[in-house]
Amino acid sequence: MQAIALGLGLGRATVYRWFGGRDGLMGEVLARAADPLLDVARAEARGRGGRALLDTFDRFNRGIIGAPALRQYVEHEREAALRVITSGAGVVEPHLVGRIAELIEEQVRRGAYEPPVEPETLAYAIVRLAEAFLFSDVAAGIRGDVDRLRDVEAALLGVSSRPPRRRPGSEGAVPRSSGTRSPSRSRS
């Protein structure tokens, strides 16, 4: 904290007052570093509705797991890193839940997706799953398993985990599994 304060030309007490300590500062850094990664993942995602959400989350998760600075932080300061990343009382998790909820709500507004639960609840589940699969669940043998994470996120979103196959002669056709749910019709 001393070196950071000096680098910013501030007193250490000011940095502590702004961030509440090292964990608060690291949380802000991680949350702000995640934003461009999520923005790029969304911009490059394919499809619409649940499929676009799944592709966005998959690209984001792969970006996170491939980030050397984050990997080094988690490896060298495991307990502190997990506390900073996964605490609902911290900065990172609430920030990511909010960003993921915004992405879900965007697809809902476009009429491309009908979530199985409220967007905030779905966003919370998606973030907590990613935390477990990417960082913390060694006991279950799933840490870093982005392929299995994609499968579980697909189930939550109500879409197929793999892109739909195109049938011969269906070029340009809209895939049947677009991640939207059609209203059930009652038969009379």
Side-chain angles (χ1 to χ4, degrees):
M1 291 292 281
Q2 180 78 31
I4 292 168
L6 285 173
L8 293 172
L10 301 169
R12 205 169 101 180
T14 302
V15 175
Y16 273 95
R17 192 171 45 252
W18 285 354
F19 300 104
R22 189 170 187 281
D23 284 0
L25 175 61
M26 290 303 296
E28 284 292 336
V29 168
L30 292 174
R32 299 304 162 229
D35 283 341
L37 192 61
L38 187 56
D39 293 340
V40 168
R42 178 59 196 115
E44 293 177 353
R46 297 179 181 185
R48 47 181 304 216
R51 180 137 311 280
L53 292 169
L54 179 62
D55 195 30
T56 300
F57 303 156
D58 186 52
R59 289 170 186 271
F60 181 64
N61 293 333
R62 290 175 192 281
I64 287 172
I65 205 74
L70 179 60
R71 183 174 42 246
Q72 187 176 29
Y73 176 51
V74 172
E75 287 173 2
H76 291 112
E77 300 184 46
R78 181 142 193 81
E79 286 183 35
L82 290 177
R83 183 177 57 248
V84 168
I85 294 167
T86 65
S87 173
V91 176
V92 179
E93 183 183 285
H95 180 75
L96 289 177
V97 169
R99 289 292 316 273
I100 298 299
E102 289 171 4
L103 294 175
I104 295 167
E105 290 165 354
E106 173 188 325
Q107 292 300 313
V108 171
R109 278 191 305 275
R110 290 181 175 177
Y113 183 65
E114 184 181 325
V117 295
E118 303 82 31
E120 296 78 18
T121 302
L122 183 56
Y124 177 76
I126 294 288
V127 169
R128 292 297 290 183
L129 269 173
E131 291 169 0
F133 273 82
L134 300 179
F135 302 114
S136 58
D137 229 328
V138 176
I142 59 174
R143 186 189 311 152
D145 193 341
V146 290
D147 293 326
R148 283 172 53 193
L149 173 57
R150 179 186 174 93
D151 292 343
V152 177
E153 287 177 339
L156 277 177
L157 293 167
V159 298
S160 169
S161 176
R162 303 293 165 222
R165 290 188 216 165
R166 295 206 184 266
R167 292 177 301 227
S170 66
E171 288 74 34
V174 177
R176 293 173 77 175
S177 175
S178 65
T180 60
R181 295 176 182 245
S182 46
S184 57
R185 297 179 188 191
S186 60
R187 295 180 188 202
S188 334

